[in-house]
Amino acid sequence: MTSTGSRPIRVGVQIAPQHALYPTIRDTVQRLEDLGVDIVFNWDHFFPLFGPSDGLHYESWTMLAAMAEQTSRVEFGPLVNCNSYRNPDLQADMARTIDHISAHSGSAGRFIFGTGSGWFERDYTEYGYDFGTVGTRLDALAEDLPRIRARWEKLNPAPTRRIPILIGGGGERKTLKIVAEHADIWHSFADVDTLTHKLSVLHRWCDEIGRDPHEIELSTHVGEKDGALDVETLEAQLALGVTLFEASTSGPDYGLDHVVALLKWRDSLG
Protein backbone atom coordinates (compact mmCIF):
# COMPACT_ATOMS: atom_id res chain seq x y z
CA MET A 1 0.00 0.00 0.00
CA THR A 2 1.42 3.35 -1.01
CA SER A 3 1.16 6.47 1.12
CA THR A 4 1.37 10.22 1.09
CA GLY A 5 2.76 11.69 4.26
CA SER A 6 1.61 9.56 7.18
CA ARG A 7 -1.66 8.41 5.57
CA PRO A 8 -1.85 5.49 3.12
CA ILE A 9 -3.38 5.93 -0.32
CA ARG A 10 -6.41 3.68 -0.44
CA VAL A 11 -8.94 2.42 -2.96
CA GLY A 12 -12.57 1.92 -2.05
CA VAL A 13 -15.30 0.42 -4.23
CA GLN A 14 -19.03 0.93 -3.79
CA ILE A 15 -21.06 -2.09 -4.83
CA ALA A 16 -24.53 -0.84 -5.73
CA PRO A 17 -26.87 -3.52 -4.30
CA GLN A 18 -29.16 -3.38 -7.32
CA HIS A 19 -30.08 -5.35 -10.45
CA ALA A 20 -28.44 -8.59 -9.30
CA LEU A 21 -29.21 -11.44 -6.92
CA TYR A 22 -27.25 -11.69 -3.71
CA PRO A 23 -24.88 -14.53 -4.75
CA THR A 24 -23.51 -12.24 -7.48
CA ILE A 25 -23.02 -9.44 -4.96
CA ARG A 26 -21.30 -11.81 -2.53
CA ASP A 27 -18.97 -13.02 -5.27
CA THR A 28 -18.16 -9.41 -6.20
CA VAL A 29 -17.20 -8.65 -2.59
CA GLN A 30 -14.82 -11.61 -2.66
CA ARG A 31 -13.33 -10.56 -5.99
CA LEU A 32 -12.66 -7.09 -4.64
CA GLU A 33 -10.95 -8.38 -1.52
CA ASP A 34 -8.83 -10.72 -3.61
CA LEU A 35 -7.87 -7.87 -5.98
CA GLY A 36 -6.47 -5.83 -3.10
CA VAL A 37 -9.14 -3.17 -2.63
CA ASP A 38 -8.89 -1.46 0.76
CA ILE A 39 -12.57 -0.73 1.45
CA VAL A 40 -15.84 -2.16 0.14
CA PHE A 41 -18.97 0.00 0.40
CA ASN A 42 -22.63 -0.47 -0.39
CA TRP A 43 -25.40 2.16 -0.13
CA ASP A 44 -28.39 2.61 2.15
CA HIS A 45 -31.43 2.78 -0.13
CA PHE A 46 -34.51 0.64 -0.65
CA PHE A 47 -34.84 0.94 -4.42
CA PRO A 48 -32.46 1.19 -7.38
CA LEU A 49 -31.04 4.64 -8.02
CA PHE A 50 -30.60 4.07 -11.74
CA GLY A 51 -31.75 1.52 -14.27
CA PRO A 52 -35.21 -0.04 -13.87
CA SER A 53 -36.74 1.69 -10.85
CA ASP A 54 -38.37 -1.49 -9.57
CA GLY A 55 -35.43 -3.76 -10.32
CA LEU A 56 -33.72 -6.14 -7.93
CA HIS A 57 -32.47 -4.43 -4.79
CA TYR A 58 -31.33 -5.28 -1.24
CA GLU A 59 -31.22 -3.54 2.15
CA SER A 60 -27.86 -2.19 3.33
CA TRP A 61 -27.22 -3.16 6.94
CA THR A 62 -28.13 -6.84 6.76
CA MET A 63 -25.74 -7.09 3.81
CA LEU A 64 -23.01 -5.31 5.80
CA ALA A 65 -23.28 -7.93 8.54
CA ALA A 66 -22.77 -10.62 5.90
CA MET A 67 -19.73 -8.73 4.55
CA ALA A 68 -18.31 -8.67 8.06
CA GLU A 69 -18.42 -12.45 8.27
CA GLN A 70 -17.39 -13.09 4.66
CA THR A 71 -14.30 -10.90 4.48
CA SER A 72 -11.08 -11.06 6.49
CA ARG A 73 -8.99 -8.05 5.41
CA VAL A 74 -10.94 -5.20 3.82
CA GLU A 75 -12.66 -2.46 5.73
CA PHE A 76 -16.29 -1.94 4.75
CA GLY A 77 -19.36 0.15 5.43
CA PRO A 78 -22.26 2.06 3.90
CA LEU A 79 -21.65 4.95 1.52
CA VAL A 80 -23.70 6.19 3.15
CA ASN A 81 -26.13 5.21 5.88
CA CYS A 82 -29.32 7.29 5.96
CA ASN A 83 -29.64 8.76 9.43
CA SER A 84 -33.42 9.11 9.03
CA TYR A 85 -34.22 5.40 8.83
CA ARG A 86 -33.10 4.23 12.27
CA ASN A 87 -32.98 5.50 15.83
CA PRO A 88 -29.46 6.84 16.53
CA ASP A 89 -28.86 4.56 19.50
CA LEU A 90 -29.91 1.59 17.39
CA GLN A 91 -27.52 2.73 14.64
CA ALA A 92 -24.72 2.77 17.20
CA ASP A 93 -25.57 -0.72 18.44
CA MET A 94 -25.80 -2.11 14.91
CA ALA A 95 -22.43 -0.60 14.03
CA ARG A 96 -20.85 -1.97 17.22
CA THR A 97 -22.25 -5.44 16.54
CA ILE A 98 -20.99 -5.50 12.96
CA ASP A 99 -17.63 -4.21 14.21
CA HIS A 100 -17.38 -7.29 16.45
CA ILE A 101 -18.54 -9.68 13.72
CA SER A 102 -15.69 -8.41 11.52
CA ALA A 103 -13.02 -8.82 14.21
CA HIS A 104 -11.67 -12.15 13.06
CA SER A 105 -8.91 -14.01 14.91
CA GLY A 106 -8.66 -11.43 17.66
CA SER A 107 -7.99 -8.49 15.33
CA ALA A 108 -9.84 -5.19 15.63
CA GLY A 109 -13.03 -4.72 13.69
CA ARG A 110 -13.07 -3.28 10.18
CA PHE A 111 -16.40 -1.44 10.03
CA ILE A 112 -16.55 2.19 8.84
CA PHE A 113 -19.65 4.12 9.87
CA GLY A 114 -20.43 6.08 6.73
CA THR A 115 -23.43 8.31 7.26
CA GLY A 116 -25.44 11.19 5.86
CA SER A 117 -28.75 12.97 6.20
CA GLY A 118 -30.64 11.21 3.39
CA TRP A 119 -31.99 12.56 0.10
CA PHE A 120 -33.89 9.94 -1.95
CA GLU A 121 -37.54 10.81 -1.48
CA ARG A 122 -38.95 7.52 -2.73
CA ASP A 123 -37.22 5.67 0.12
CA TYR A 124 -39.00 7.90 2.60
CA THR A 125 -42.46 7.91 1.10
CA GLU A 126 -42.73 4.19 0.36
CA TYR A 127 -41.29 3.11 3.73
CA GLY A 128 -43.29 5.62 5.75
CA TYR A 129 -40.61 8.06 6.89
CA ASP A 130 -41.11 11.81 7.10
CA PHE A 131 -39.08 13.34 4.28
CA GLY A 132 -38.93 16.80 5.83
CA THR A 133 -36.50 19.25 4.24
CA VAL A 134 -32.79 19.28 3.55
CA GLY A 135 -32.38 21.51 6.58
CA THR A 136 -34.39 19.37 9.00
CA ARG A 137 -32.61 16.21 7.88
CA LEU A 138 -29.21 17.83 8.39
CA ASP A 139 -30.28 19.15 11.78
CA ALA A 140 -31.28 15.62 12.77
CA LEU A 141 -27.89 14.29 11.69
CA ALA A 142 -26.12 16.95 13.76
CA GLU A 143 -28.25 16.05 16.79
CA ASP A 144 -27.90 12.28 16.37
CA LEU A 145 -24.14 11.91 15.89
CA PRO A 146 -23.34 12.85 19.52
CA ARG A 147 -25.94 10.28 20.64
CA ILE A 148 -24.32 7.64 18.45
CA ARG A 149 -20.88 8.36 19.86
CA ALA A 150 -22.24 8.43 23.41
CA ARG A 151 -23.94 5.06 22.93
CA TRP A 152 -20.66 3.55 21.76
CA GLU A 153 -19.22 4.58 25.13
CA LYS A 154 -22.02 2.76 27.00
CA LEU A 155 -22.30 -0.50 25.08
CA ASN A 156 -21.10 -3.75 26.63
CA PRO A 157 -18.99 -5.05 25.05
CA ALA A 158 -17.58 -1.83 23.67
CA PRO A 159 -16.57 -1.54 20.01
CA THR A 160 -13.25 -3.22 19.27
CA ARG A 161 -11.80 0.10 18.09
CA ARG A 162 -12.79 3.73 17.72
CA ILE A 163 -15.18 3.20 14.81
CA PRO A 164 -14.28 5.66 12.02
CA ILE A 165 -17.06 8.03 10.98
CA LEU A 166 -17.30 8.91 7.29
CA ILE A 167 -19.60 11.75 6.29
CA GLY A 168 -20.55 12.47 2.70
CA GLY A 169 -21.71 15.73 1.19
CA GLY A 170 -20.52 19.26 0.57
CA GLY A 171 -23.09 21.69 1.92
CA GLU A 172 -21.15 24.65 3.23
CA ARG A 173 -23.45 25.95 5.96
CA LYS A 174 -24.35 22.70 7.73
CA THR A 175 -22.76 19.58 6.24
CA LEU A 176 -19.14 20.74 6.35
CA LYS A 177 -19.63 21.97 9.90
CA ILE A 178 -20.82 18.47 10.85
CA VAL A 179 -17.78 17.04 9.05
CA ALA A 180 -15.47 19.32 11.04
CA GLU A 181 -17.12 18.29 14.29
CA HIS A 182 -17.46 14.54 13.79
CA ALA A 183 -15.84 13.04 10.70
CA ASP A 184 -12.73 10.92 10.47
CA ILE A 185 -13.28 10.76 6.69
CA TRP A 186 -14.99 13.30 4.43
CA HIS A 187 -16.31 12.00 1.11
CA SER A 188 -16.95 14.28 -1.85
CA PHE A 189 -18.17 13.91 -5.42
CA ALA A 190 -16.75 17.33 -6.37
CA ASP A 191 -14.57 18.18 -9.35
CA VAL A 192 -11.10 19.57 -8.64
CA ASP A 193 -12.05 23.25 -8.64
CA THR A 194 -15.10 22.67 -6.45
CA LEU A 195 -13.11 20.43 -4.12
CA THR A 196 -10.51 23.16 -3.72
CA HIS A 197 -13.22 25.59 -2.65
CA LYS A 198 -14.97 23.11 -0.36
CA LEU A 199 -11.70 22.35 1.39
CA SER A 200 -11.24 26.03 2.16
CA VAL A 201 -14.72 26.04 3.73
CA LEU A 202 -13.96 22.89 5.71
CA HIS A 203 -10.74 24.44 6.99
CA ARG A 204 -12.68 27.50 8.15
CA TRP A 205 -15.11 25.33 10.08
CA CYS A 206 -12.21 23.40 11.61
CA ASP A 207 -10.59 26.67 12.66
CA GLU A 208 -13.86 27.80 14.25
CA ILE A 209 -14.24 24.67 16.38
CA GLY A 210 -10.52 24.26 17.07
CA ARG A 211 -9.82 21.09 15.12
CA ASP A 212 -6.83 20.27 12.93
CA PRO A 213 -8.32 19.64 9.45
CA HIS A 214 -5.52 17.22 8.65
CA GLU A 215 -7.08 14.79 11.11
CA ILE A 216 -9.83 14.24 8.51
CA GLU A 217 -9.05 11.83 5.68
CA LEU A 218 -10.20 13.13 2.30
CA SER A 219 -12.13 10.78 0.04
CA THR A 220 -13.52 11.36 -3.43
CA HIS A 221 -15.39 9.54 -6.14
CA VAL A 222 -13.32 8.51 -9.16
CA GLY A 223 -14.68 9.18 -12.62
CA GLU A 224 -13.51 8.25 -16.08
CA LYS A 225 -12.53 10.34 -19.09
CA ASP A 226 -13.21 8.97 -22.56
CA GLY A 227 -13.84 5.56 -21.03
CA ALA A 228 -10.50 5.38 -19.23
CA LEU A 229 -9.08 6.24 -15.84
CA ASP A 230 -8.71 10.02 -15.55
CA VAL A 231 -5.16 10.07 -14.21
CA GLU A 232 -4.79 13.84 -14.56
CA THR A 233 -7.73 14.40 -12.22
CA LEU A 234 -6.50 11.72 -9.81
CA GLU A 235 -3.13 13.44 -9.55
CA ALA A 236 -4.78 16.82 -8.97
CA GLN A 237 -6.95 15.32 -6.22
CA LEU A 238 -3.90 13.67 -4.69
CA ALA A 239 -2.12 17.03 -4.66
CA LEU A 240 -5.08 18.46 -2.70
CA GLY A 241 -4.60 15.78 -0.04
CA VAL A 242 -7.10 13.14 -1.14
CA THR A 243 -5.93 9.69 -0.06
CA LEU A 244 -9.09 7.59 -0.44
CA PHE A 245 -10.26 7.11 -4.02
CA GLU A 246 -13.67 5.49 -4.49
CA ALA A 247 -14.95 3.79 -7.62
CA SER A 248 -18.35 2.20 -8.05
CA THR A 249 -19.85 -0.77 -9.81
CA SER A 250 -23.42 -1.95 -10.32
CA GLY A 251 -25.36 -5.04 -11.26
CA PRO A 252 -26.16 -7.01 -13.18
CA ASP A 253 -22.52 -7.56 -14.21
CA TYR A 254 -20.38 -5.66 -11.67
CA GLY A 255 -17.56 -4.92 -14.07
CA LEU A 256 -14.23 -4.31 -12.36
CA ASP A 257 -11.84 -3.32 -15.17
CA HIS A 258 -11.82 0.29 -13.94
CA VAL A 259 -11.08 -0.92 -10.42
CA VAL A 260 -8.09 -2.91 -11.65
CA ALA A 261 -6.81 0.23 -13.42
CA LEU A 262 -7.28 2.28 -10.26
CA LEU A 263 -5.39 -0.28 -8.18
CA LYS A 264 -2.53 -0.26 -10.69
CA TRP A 265 -2.40 3.54 -10.42
CA ARG A 266 -2.35 3.33 -6.62
CA ASP A 267 0.45 0.78 -6.66
CA SER A 268 2.46 2.78 -9.20
CA LEU A 269 2.80 5.61 -6.69
CA GLY A 270 4.97 3.56 -4.36
Side-chain angles (χ1 to χ4, degrees):
M1 185 182 297
T2 54
S3 64
T4 176
S6 60
R7 185 170 281 137
I9 298 171
R10 305 194 289 171
V11 168
V13 178
Q14 183 186 60
I15 301 174
Q18 61 178 12
H19 306 313
L21 293 173
Y22 181 71
T24 302
I25 297 173
R26 181 182 57 222
D27 291 348
T28 302
V29 172
Q30 192 60 58
R31 288 165 61 200
L32 289 171
E33 183 165 58
D34 292 345
L35 281 171
V37 162
D38 300 294
I39 307 173
V40 176
F41 297 107
N42 64 6
W43 68 36
D44 188 19
H45 295 287
F46 305 133
F47 302 96
L49 296 186
F50 52 88
S53 61
D54 290 315
L56 300 169
H57 197 277
Y58 291 101
E59 191 275 330
S60 172
W61 280 81
T62 44
M63 183 180 295
L64 291 167
M67 286 185 190
E69 191 64 59
Q70 173 189 351
T71 58
S72 60
R73 179 190 58 79
V74 293
E75 292 187 285
F76 63 98
L79 187 64
V80 287
N81 167 68
C82 178
N83 182 66
S84 304
Y85 302 156
R86 303 162 191 90
N87 170 283
D89 294 273
L90 175 60
Q91 294 178 53
D93 204 343
M94 292 164 65
R96 181 281 310 253
T97 299
I98 292 177
D99 166 72
H100 274 263
I101 294 171
S102 68
H104 296 188
S105 303
S107 63
R110 295 171 285 115
F111 183 73
I112 294 174
F113 184 67
T115 194
S117 59
W119 63 272
F120 190 42
E121 188 170 5
R122 185 185 181 193
D123 286 344
Y124 286 78
T125 56
E126 294 215 22
Y127 275 58
Y129 297 103
D130 179 21
F131 188 54
T133 66
V134 173
T136 59
R137 295 193 300 274
L138 282 167
D139 289 343
L141 179 64
E143 293 172 3
D144 289 347
L145 278 166
R147 284 182 58 182
I148 290 166
R149 297 173 72 171
R151 180 58 58 184
W152 283 336
E153 297 294 325
K154 299 174 184 177
L155 289 168
N156 186 13
T160 68
R161 65 172 182 168
R162 185 182 182 278
I163 296 175
I165 296 174
L166 178 154
I167 296 174
E172 297 180 15
R173 190 168 64 90
K174 292 187 176 183
T175 302
L176 290 178
K177 181 181 179 183
I178 297 170
V179 171
E181 292 173 333
H182 296 288
D184 300 288
I185 306 168
W186 172 51
H187 184 75
S188 168
F189 287 86
D191 58 41
V192 172
D193 289 341
T194 304
L195 179 59
T196 301
H197 169 69
K198 299 291 186 182
L199 283 171
S200 69
V201 176
L202 177 59
H203 282 221
R204 289 201 299 271
W205 278 120
C206 285
D207 288 343
E208 183 166 318
I209 68 171
R211 185 179 184 192
D212 180 355
H214 298 99
E215 293 177 358
I216 303 169
E217 182 174 13
L218 304 181
S219 169
T220 192
H221 178 72
V222 172
E224 294 183 317
K225 185 176 182 180
D226 299 325
L229 194 67
D230 186 355
V231 174
E232 182 180 356
T233 295
L234 290 174
E235 291 177 348
Q237 293 165 335
L238 185 64
L240 289 172
V242 174
T243 56
L244 174 53
F245 296 87
E246 175 267 324
S248 59
T249 186
S250 177
D253 300 323
Y254 293 106
L256 299 181
D257 288 349
H258 62 308
V259 174
V260 171
L262 182 60
L263 288 167
K264 288 181 178 178
W265 175 80
R266 178 200 68 185
D267 295 343
S268 74
L269 300 173

